[in-house]
Amino acid sequence: MADLPISVVHLRRLFKFAFGVPLQSYIRSRKLATSLETLMQTEKRVLDIAIECGYEHEQTYIRAFKREYGLTQSPLNVPLLVVRSYCLVTKNLSVRKGDCMNYNEVVSIGDTYLLAVVSELFGLEGYEIQLIPAHDGGRNVVYTCEKEGADAKILRIAFLPDRNREDFLGEVEYIRYLFEHGGSVSDVVSSRKGNLLEEITHNNHTFFICLFVKAKGKMLVENHYRYREGVPITEYYYNCGKALGKLHQISKGYTPVHRRYSFFDKYNAEYIDKLIPNSLSLLKEKLIELLHTLKGLDRNQETFGMIHFDYNDGNYSIDFDTGQITVYDFDNSCYCWYMFDLAGLWTQGVGWIQFEPDTGKRKKFMDDYFETVLAGYRSETKIEDSMLENLPLFIQASAMENIVDSFEVMQNSGEKPKCDEELSYLIKCLEDDIPLKGFFHEIYSCEEPFEYEERNI
């Protein structure tokens, strides 16, 4: 990475955009493919091969292998031709009752059953429906739906058991409320039955289906991080704050029919202790201290409400003719402080100046950037200076969310917990109480932004 003028985050986004596959998923697949060759060509134990692949336990490796190749048996002594043949034979088989579906199985069921049913439910006859490659840690199967003379749509099929009907209704009802009250969001499209959410049960498995209007324009990464020609980039900073401020202002008047979860429903000491490896005891202690501090903050109508919780340039599109921002992907929306979304905007801004070696210049840029963001934000809603003083605290909270998400992805994929340079950096900042993501601290390197020596767990 030292030779590339790009951060790890941007590299991952560009890799997915260029190749249609998340970088981490590609690395995992390559490791498993290499392990398959080792299984075929050597007499090594499965446990030894698993450890070489980064898996701590043989059974964890076998589960990952099965997910990758669709097998129902151990990879030991399975010839490559058998693996390939088995994948083809089982491609269209339904999942047995009690089994946990994976992404590829849902795609297969979509091809043979779900998409036809969904097309009838939502009137998508005549639309060209194309699968959008999944991103690492994604929880849904998503498609684009396009038809000449009609607005493009985004179809989302949720299949994991981590959410229920109430959760999905809370999300789509919130999106519809934002849209109806002037929020710049991708609206939910009702089915022919008039429902924002449809539920399909197939072979004892429930799928939750939503359809959205596709946002006009494209993501910044799709335009190679170039803004509108001839327009100062400060317009973009202002509009980011303005779009968010409008959503927060609308949220202050929102009374849910189906209520989404609140921040502390997920982020609590019990969950942190269960998720984070015991070898990171200091990190656990710091995270619990952070949660205790957050619990002491005001939670009133002006400071706390429904927020996006993942407001970044991967979850909105820009109309490059007008500069208009349209927000989508409210999958993580929950009740939290409005400052959390603003802290996410601050963190997003570091990408524009991360390779500047002069700390003073980085500080000046971030002050000017966030001042412009806040001007846009305050054009739509108000925020007290007393809450803005908590910006460092919420940047720490954002780092906590990133750490928790990283360990959740590893847990859900069956991987051995590990810390790459980026995760190690976040952990170091929290453990050593380094504020503002270490951006103005000696820990930071403009040559290897937001990276630290890999932590051995």
Side-chain angles (χ1 to χ4, degrees):
M1 286 300 298
D3 297 326
L4 293 175
I6 187 171
S7 71
V8 174
V9 173
H10 287 175
L11 174 63
R12 288 173 177 167
R13 289 175 181 166
L14 288 172
F15 188 93
K16 180 177 179 295
F17 176 68
F19 300 106
V21 178
L23 178 58
Q24 193 61 34
S25 296
Y26 173 78
I27 293 171
R28 186 185 306 119
S29 295
R30 290 301 307 148
K31 285 183 177 180
L32 288 169
T34 300
S35 78
L36 180 57
E37 294 178 4
T38 306
L39 280 167
M40 292 173 56
Q41 298 171 7
T42 73
E43 296 183 359
K44 284 187 176 181
R45 297 184 306 162
V46 175
L47 177 59
D48 293 333
I49 296 173
I51 292 172
E52 289 176 2
C53 276
Y55 294 91
E56 187 173 7
H57 303 292
E58 179 178 328
Q59 289 303 315
T60 305
Y61 162 71
I62 290 174
R63 285 196 299 270
F65 190 98
K66 289 176 180 178
R67 279 195 300 271
E68 182 75 13
Y69 295 108
L71 294 174
T72 59
Q73 54 183 296
S74 168
L76 187 60
N77 297 327
V78 179
L80 182 57
L81 288 176
V82 173
V83 171
R84 289 175 175 167
S85 299
Y86 194 91
C87 290
L88 290 173
V89 169
T90 60
K91 180 179 179 182
N92 293 322
L93 292 182
S94 298
V95 178
R96 297 181 304 277
K97 183 177 181 180
D99 285 353
C100 183
M101 278 194 182
N102 64 42
Y103 179 89
N104 292 331
E105 289 167 332
V106 178
V107 171
S108 179
I109 294 171
D111 292 340
T112 59
Y113 176 75
L114 285 176
L115 290 182
V117 177
V118 170
S119 293
E120 174 65 24
L121 277 171
F122 287 93
L124 295 176
E125 296 89 348
Y127 278 79
E128 182 181 359
I129 302 178
Q130 295 287 335
L131 180 69
I132 298 176
H135 64 82
D136 205 30
R139 300 185 292 174
N140 308 296
V141 178
V142 184
Y143 301 85
T144 58
C145 310
E146 298 183 346
K147 179 181 177 180
E148 188 174 352
D151 290 336
K153 311 290 195 303
I154 297 293
L155 172 65
R156 188 185 76 185
I157 300 176
F159 62 92
L160 292 177
D162 59 342
R163 293 159 291 172
N164 58 35
R165 182 176 179 81
E166 294 289 310
D167 293 325
F168 290 112
L169 284 172
E171 175 195 354
V172 294
E173 289 170 357
Y174 175 57
I175 295 171
R176 173 56 61 85
Y177 182 87
L178 291 173
F179 181 80
E180 289 180 341
H181 288 77
S184 185
V185 299
S186 293
D187 191 22
V188 191
V189 179
S190 299
S191 70
R192 282 173 165 165
K193 297 179 181 180
N195 299 324
L196 299 180
L197 176 72
E198 287 291 351
E199 193 173 329
I200 298 174
T201 300
H202 178 68
N203 281 10
N204 299 304
H205 193 96
T206 300
F207 302 90
F208 292 99
I209 317 296
C210 301
L211 189 68
F212 305 91
V213 176
K214 186 177 181 182
K216 187 175 182 181
K218 53 187 176 181
M219 294 188 295
L220 202 58
V221 64
E222 294 174 314
N223 205 48
H224 309 292
Y225 286 95
R226 293 194 299 267
Y227 192 54
R228 302 202 298 144
E229 187 174 352
V231 178
I233 191 66
T234 50
E235 179 192 82
Y236 169 64
Y237 306 155
Y238 183 91
N239 286 347
C240 285
K242 182 179 179 66
L244 182 62
K246 181 67 173 181
L247 299 188
H248 286 178
Q249 179 61 31
I250 297 169
S251 288
K252 292 175 182 178
Y254 179 59
T255 302
V257 176
H258 297 87
R259 188 178 180 88
R260 293 279 286 185
Y261 63 89
S262 189
F263 178 83
F264 291 112
D265 293 335
K266 176 176 180 178
Y267 299 94
N268 54 68
E270 182 180 359
Y271 184 61
I272 294 296
D273 186 58
K274 180 180 177 182
L275 179 69
I276 305 298
N278 290 329
S279 58
L280 296 174
S281 57
L282 179 56
L283 173 64
K284 286 187 178 186
E285 179 184 324
K286 292 294 183 179
L287 291 178
I288 292 171
E289 286 180 6
L290 176 59
L291 288 172
H292 180 75
T293 302
L294 289 169
K295 283 184 177 180
L297 297 179
D298 285 340
R299 279 176 268 175
N300 56 52
Q301 187 178 9
E302 289 298 317
T303 62
F304 194 93
M306 274 287 282
I307 69 169
H308 189 282
F309 203 74
D310 195 17
Y311 188 75
N312 63 71
D313 59 29
N315 288 331
Y316 54 71
S317 290
I318 304 167
D319 182 339
F320 282 85
D321 292 329
T322 66
Q324 174 76 27
I325 288 174
T326 303
V327 187
Y328 42 79
D329 195 356
F330 286 78
D331 205 20
N332 294 318
S333 58
C334 65
Y335 279 84
C336 188
W337 292 271
Y338 297 119
M339 269 302 302
F340 186 92
D341 278 348
L342 274 171
L345 263 184
W346 187 95
T347 302
Q348 177 176 292
V350 302
W352 297 102
I353 194 68
Q354 62 184 344
F355 299 112
E356 170 56 55
D358 189 310
T359 303
K361 290 181 179 178
R362 292 201 303 272
K363 180 72 166 58
K364 176 66 166 59
F365 173 87
M366 289 305 298
D367 287 345
D368 293 343
Y369 160 80
F370 200 60
E371 181 180 348
T372 305
V373 167
L374 283 177
Y377 185 84
R378 281 174 158 159
S379 72
E380 297 290 347
T381 193
K382 67 178 182 179
I383 185 166
E384 300 295 335
D385 289 340
S386 58
M387 281 305 296
L388 285 174
E389 290 172 0
N390 289 313
L391 176 64
L393 178 65
F394 282 100
I395 291 173
Q396 295 287 72
S398 179
M400 175 182 69
E401 188 274 332
N402 289 337
I403 291 170
V404 167
D405 182 68
S406 295
F407 282 107
E408 284 179 339
V409 170
M410 285 182 268
Q411 182 184 74
N412 293 337
S413 63
E415 292 183 31
K416 172 186 174 181
K418 59 183 179 181
C419 294
D420 60 14
E421 292 91 344
E422 188 177 1
L423 180 55
S424 297
Y425 182 91
L426 291 175
I427 292 173
K428 181 68 173 175
C429 286
L430 279 168
E431 288 183 337
D432 290 5
D433 298 318
I434 301 172
L436 301 175
K437 210 178 176 183
F439 199 44
F440 312 120
H441 189 272
E442 62 183 14
I443 189 177
Y444 183 79
S445 167
C446 64
E447 296 178 350
E448 296 180 337
F450 306 108
E451 294 184 16
Y452 194 74
E453 181 180 349
E454 284 193 17
R455 187 71 165 271
N456 184 24
I457 302 180

